[in-house]
Amino acid sequence: MCGIAGRILNAPGQVGRDLVDLMDAQEHRGADSTGFAIYGPPREAGYVLRGMGYDKSKVDADLVDLKAIMTDHGADFAADPQVLTDAAPYYCFRVEMTDPRDLAAWVADADTLTDRIEVQSCGRSLEIIKDVGGAAQVADKHGVRDMEGTHGLGHARLATESDVRPNASHPFWARPFSDVAIVHNGQITDYFTKRDQLTRQGYRFLTENDSELIAVWVSDQMKAGLTMPQALTKSIGSIDGVFTYMIATTDGIGFAKDRYAMKPLVVIDQAGDLAMATEEQAVRRIFQGEEDVINYDGPSMTALWGVGNRSLAA
Amino acid sequence: MTHIVDVGERHIREINEEIQEAAARGDEIRVVNTLSRHNLGVGLPDGCKISFEGSVGYYCGGLNTGARIEVERNAGWAVGEGMSKGHITVGGYAGMSVGAAMINGTIHVKGDAGPRCGVAMKGGNIVVEGKIGYQSGFMAHQGKIIALGGAGESCADALWSAEVWVAGDVDSLGVDVNVVEPTAEEVAEVDAILDPLGLVDSSRNWRKMVAGERLWYFESRDASAWLMI
């Protein structure tokens, strides 16, 4: 049992604050770890990286090596890296970088450092913040409530398939596709086989979490030519297990649900001002009036919600 | 007199204790500011009369032993789970597993109901004015599920002795279902359930679904029917 949430604003605003509210209302669904994927104002060039290092005493050496790999790819830090530590042995970082010549090639080389540091999101707009603890605890530590943007995802985790660790929590970035993130409620049963197939194609998985598959699988289908609605529909027949997941890009949020109709999703849509969550009591934190909720309760469902007038259908 | 219970962010145990105390005094109860919270009004006693403002979350009215419960708008999962007596009315939509494993009493949903309506019910009646969701009646032992606005996929899947009555379209049948023509006496029995709710309509074209009884005893030649996917 996990809790997921999504939020789309009609205009850039306090999406971080709303996602914290949505996740705080669902903390009972899983308080192991909480995570957020926030789409801020997109930059014309350069990427924001979010990630973590396992040993905070080695942060300086880690960042020197990360920068060296950027240099190899014609990129550099665009600002001083921000590092966040607390009592835990690991640290979290936020790095702004200039454009590398080839993003996927840079990600592959940066991933040679994954015994020490792990890039957890990369995007012109996307930033993934995830850590152990409940919504308020993670929000306070990382300043999530102050993060502005147009849309985003949230996740409260009750670990079933892998460790309780900050990097095994959601949202997952669709490594190495910039600006793609997912949250998932359920369990994937054939993830090991599918990961193996994707790994042989050159993709890299950093955790033993079943959900990490979904982000990469859907993105790979879209790379092969499917539209997002086609890829979402195909996932229902191709991925085995119980799932309700949401996948976000800079253009909006898509959703798919398995054939067994096990995991709920509740949506309030006020002319494109949207809140989605596992439980109605979460979306009522955002819309407290008489707004109607839509229950996506059937089997094999998909939906797409664009930001503003953007479309995910093409 | 009417006792008002304000839910808000209070601990659920404190809220339910306040409801139980008011019920023990014989007060009528109005629950406001519900915020779609879970577990509201669980284990209510016989004779209690209670209404919930707005929507409620999961398990509202669960283990009901005779209360008359009204939810103004929507209910989350498993409204009236395990109830043995009483009457629950949901004004809007009722989520997954309405009346799961209920033993007796009536649940009346004015909107649609989610997947697995009446799952494993052991008795009583569920009346849904709208459509019942995917796999409704799944493994229901006894009692009636009556839908006036159609049914979703895999309707009446793997029934025991319960009956699923549908007026309107059925998207698809579940495993091991017999659709039978009801007799006039059986329709009169259903109308007797609908009458107090003001829902009798003699023009309905009923489909009554009962177990095909093939799955009641495992035979290896039926193995393919057990594989639902």
Side-chain angles (χ1 to χ4, degrees):
Chain A
M1 192 168 91
C2 298
I4 61 176
R7 179 81 174 107
I8 296 180
L9 302 174
N10 274 331
Q14 290 186 289
V15 72
R17 181 201 60 190
D18 286 358
L19 283 167
V20 173
D21 281 347
L22 284 161
M23 294 326 303
D24 184 60
Q26 301 189 104
E27 191 170 307
H28 55 277
R29 298 191 67 91
D32 291 347
S33 332
T34 309
F36 304 93
I38 292 181
Y39 290 78
R43 56 205 68 221
E44 297 278 314
Y47 295 97
V48 183
L49 311 177
R50 286 274 188 166
M52 61 172 284
Y54 301 127
D55 183 349
K56 65 185 174 191
S57 71
K58 305 235 166 55
V59 56
D60 292 338
D62 290 348
L63 290 174
V64 165
D65 289 349
L66 187 66
K67 184 181 164 81
I69 294 171
M70 287 180 190
T71 310
D72 290 346
H73 288 262
D76 197 355
F77 290 153
D80 284 340
Q82 295 161 260
V83 171
L84 186 63
T85 56
D86 59 7
Y90 59 90
Y91 66 92
C92 300
F93 64 81
R94 179 183 187 276
V95 166
E96 294 180 44
M97 71 182 281
T98 60
D99 283 338
R101 283 185 293 270
D102 177 337
L103 182 68
W106 176 80
V107 171
D109 278 354
D111 283 349
T112 58
L113 301 175
T114 50
D115 56 335
R116 293 152 54 198
I117 62 173
E118 195 173 287
V119 176
Q120 292 167 338
S121 75
C122 168
R124 299 233 190 264
S125 165
L126 167 68
E127 296 187 45
I128 291 178
I129 298 93
K130 52 187 180 179
D131 213 328
V132 293
Q137 190 186 339
V138 174
D140 288 346
K141 177 175 169 183
H142 295 271
V144 179
R145 288 188 190 86
D146 299 326
M147 295 181 69
E148 300 205 340
T150 48
H151 61 296
L153 301 172
H155 190 273
R157 179 164 188 245
L158 180 78
T160 55
E161 307 291 313
S162 61
D163 282 355
V164 177
R165 295 175 61 196
N167 52 331
S169 58
H170 300 222
F172 280 104
W173 168 43
R175 181 177 239 93
F177 300 93
S178 74
D179 292 297
V180 182
I182 68 108
V183 288
H184 165 220
N185 177 18
Q187 293 83 31
I188 307 300
T189 46
D190 65 343
Y191 72 99
F192 211 78
T193 317
K194 285 213 161 43
R195 274 171 56 141
D196 195 39
Q197 291 160 359
L198 288 166
T199 304
R200 275 185 268 121
Q201 291 176 44
Y203 291 106
R204 184 87 198 275
F205 293 88
L206 296 191
T207 73
E208 294 302 315
N209 190 302
D210 55 329
S211 312
E212 193 178 1
L213 169 79
I214 299 172
V216 178
W217 188 91
V218 175
S219 300
D220 180 61
Q221 294 293 324
M222 290 171 68
K223 188 186 173 192
L226 296 192
T227 62
M228 186 185 275
Q230 287 168 336
L232 293 172
T233 301
K234 188 176 175 185
S235 75
I236 294 167
S238 298
I239 297 178
D240 193 38
V242 174
F243 53 84
T244 286
Y245 70 83
M246 288 192 277
I247 181 164
T249 69
T250 49
D251 292 330
I253 297 173
F255 139 81
K257 182 163 170 167
D258 65 63
R259 292 166 283 175
Y260 314 102
M262 290 301 287
K263 302 290 185 183
L265 192 77
V266 177
V267 177
I268 291 180
D269 182 351
Q270 295 291 297
D273 185 10
L274 283 141
M276 316 81 159
T278 304
E279 296 183 6
E280 181 171 336
Q281 61 176 340
V283 294
R284 289 285 172 214
R285 291 273 185 105
I286 308 295
F287 296 100
Q288 281 150 6
E290 297 289 304
E291 300 87 355
D292 274 332
V293 298
I294 306 161
N295 284 275
Y296 286 81
D297 265 353
S300 305
M301 299 184 98
T302 62
L304 295 171
W305 300 284
V307 175
N309 54 9
R310 284 181 247 164
S311 165
L312 294 100
Chain B
M1 68 172 272
T2 302
H3 181 84
I4 307 287
V5 177
D6 192 313
V7 174
E9 311 263 319
R10 293 161 68 201
H11 196 284
I12 189 65
R13 184 173 300 143
E14 193 187 309
I15 297 160
N16 276 332
E17 279 171 2
E18 185 181 340
I19 290 173
Q20 292 284 355
E21 283 161 19
R25 284 196 303 270
D27 291 351
E28 211 173 299
I29 303 161
R30 171 77 176 160
V31 184
V32 300
N33 194 20
T34 52
L35 304 177
S36 304
R37 293 274 304 271
H38 299 330
N39 309 314
L40 289 167
V42 170
L44 293 178
D46 200 357
C48 170
K49 195 159 179 247
I50 184 168
S51 68
F52 293 90
E53 179 187 60
S55 297
V56 295
Y58 299 174
Y59 311 118
C60 181
L63 303 172
N64 181 14
T65 53
R68 200 166 179 90
I69 299 169
E70 192 186 329
V71 177
E72 265 179 11
R73 299 186 73 194
N74 306 326
W77 283 10
V79 62
E81 172 163 5
M83 75 184 265
S84 54
K85 191 180 170 193
H87 188 105
I88 301 178
T89 307
V90 178
Y93 176 90
M96 176 132 72
S97 304
V98 171
M102 68 188 280
I103 298 161
N104 213 333
T106 301
I107 300 178
H108 172 201
V109 179
K110 295 188 175 176
D112 294 336
R116 286 173 278 270
C117 177
V119 57
M121 69 189 286
K122 314 273 195 306
N125 300 305
I126 299 174
V127 177
V128 177
E129 293 189 37
K131 182 174 178 176
I132 50 176
Y134 170 72
Q135 224 173 46
S136 281
F138 183 58
M139 297 193 76
H141 295 236
Q142 214 140 63
K144 284 188 179 66
I145 299 163
I146 303 165
L148 308 183
E153 289 172 41
S154 203
C155 185
D157 193 278
L159 281 177
W160 293 101
S161 296
E163 297 172 2
V164 181
W165 288 63
V166 178
D169 293 336
V170 176
D171 290 346
S172 70
L173 295 175
V175 177
D176 194 30
V177 182
N178 270 357
V179 182
V180 296
E181 191 63 38
T183 64
E185 290 76 21
E186 288 169 336
V187 172
E189 274 177 42
V190 167
D191 281 346
I193 296 165
L194 296 177
D195 190 37
L197 309 176
L199 295 172
V200 174
D201 176 353
S202 58
S203 70
R204 283 196 187 99
N205 192 8
W206 288 110
R207 246 179 295 192
K208 176 189 170 190
M209 283 158 265
V210 297
E213 303 186 18
R214 254 177 84 205
L215 296 187
W216 286 14
Y217 316 97
F218 181 77
E219 305 256 3
S220 54
R221 66 169 184 272
D222 289 337
S224 63
W226 290 71
L227 299 171
M228 298 188 305
I229 51 168

